[in-house]
Amino acid sequence: MSRIRIVERTGSTNADLLADGQAVEGEWLVALAQSAGKGRQGRKWVGVPGNFFGSTLVEIQPGDPPAASLSLAAGLALIEAVDAAAPGLSLMLKWPNDLLLDGDKLAGVLLERGGERIVAGFGVNLASAPILPDRRATSLKAAVTPQAFAPLLAASFARLLGLWRSSDPGAIARAWQMRAHPIGAVLTIHTSADDRISGRFDGVEPDGALRLRTGDGIEIVRAGDVSL
C-alpha cells in the first residue's frame, strides 16, 4: 500500500525523496507549494499554487526491465489518474514525458536516479496554467485538489509499476503508443540547443526510446524534446 506524506512547502519533492535514505518503494511525498521544481534539461518547473507536485520512489530489483522504460509506465499512470479525476478530456502523451490536453501541456514527469533508486516526479496543472516561454500550457481549472489527486495517482502508479515488472516490455510500449501521438505523425526532435531532426513517429522501443522514420530510415532517439 502506498504511503502519502503531504507537506505545506518544499524546494523539490524529487530532491527530498532521493536524499531520504529511509524512504522505501511506494512512499509518496506531495508538496502544496514547491519553490525549486525541475523539468527536463534543467528547466524550472513553475510552481503555481493549487497545482500538484509529487514524487514517489522505485527500488530497482534484479530482473526488472530496463530502467529507462519506467518512463512509459509513469506516463500511463499519469494519464490514467487524470482520466479518473476528470473524465472525458482529450488527453495525449507526448514523448518523452509530457501529458497534453487539447494539444497544450497539462503535466510532466521527471525521473531521476541515485544508485539503485529512482524517483518519479509528477507536476500537474490542476488549478491554473503557468505562462511558459516556449510552449502553451493548460490546466484542469481546479476540477480536483492536490490532496484528492494524490491517491488517484498513487493507485495508478502502483498498478502500472506492477505491470511494468510482470508484463512483456513490448506490451507497456504498445499501451503507451495507444495514448500518444499517432503513428505517422510528423515530429521534430530537438536533441540539443542547436541540433534537431524531423521525421514521422514510428512508435517506441520496449526500453522507451523513440523511433523516428526519416528519409534515411529509422532513427532511434533516446533523449530530446519533441515538437508536434
Side-chain angles (χ1 to χ4, degrees), residues 183-196:
I183 299 294
V186 176
L187 306 179
T188 298
I189 315 294
H190 304 263
T191 54
S192 70
D194 301 316
D195 296 322
R196 65 188 64 187

Side-chain angles (χ1 to χ4, degrees), residues 46 48 125 128-137:
V46 181
V48 177
N125 298 332
S128 59
I131 297 173
L132 304 177
D134 57 346
R135 63 196 70 188
R136 298 190 310 273

Side-chain angles (χ1 to χ4, degrees), residues 113-163:
R113 182 167 183 169
E116 296 305 297
R117 304 161 86 231
I118 294 177
V119 166
F122 298 82
V124 187
N125 298 332
L126 299 180
S128 59
I131 297 173
L132 304 177
D134 57 346
R135 63 196 70 188
R136 298 190 310 273
T138 189
S139 77
L140 295 183
K141 299 177 175 59
V144 61
T145 66
Q147 295 92 328
F149 185 73
L152 297 177
L153 182 56
S156 293
F157 189 85
R159 190 180 77 83
L160 264 299
L161 182 62
L163 289 174

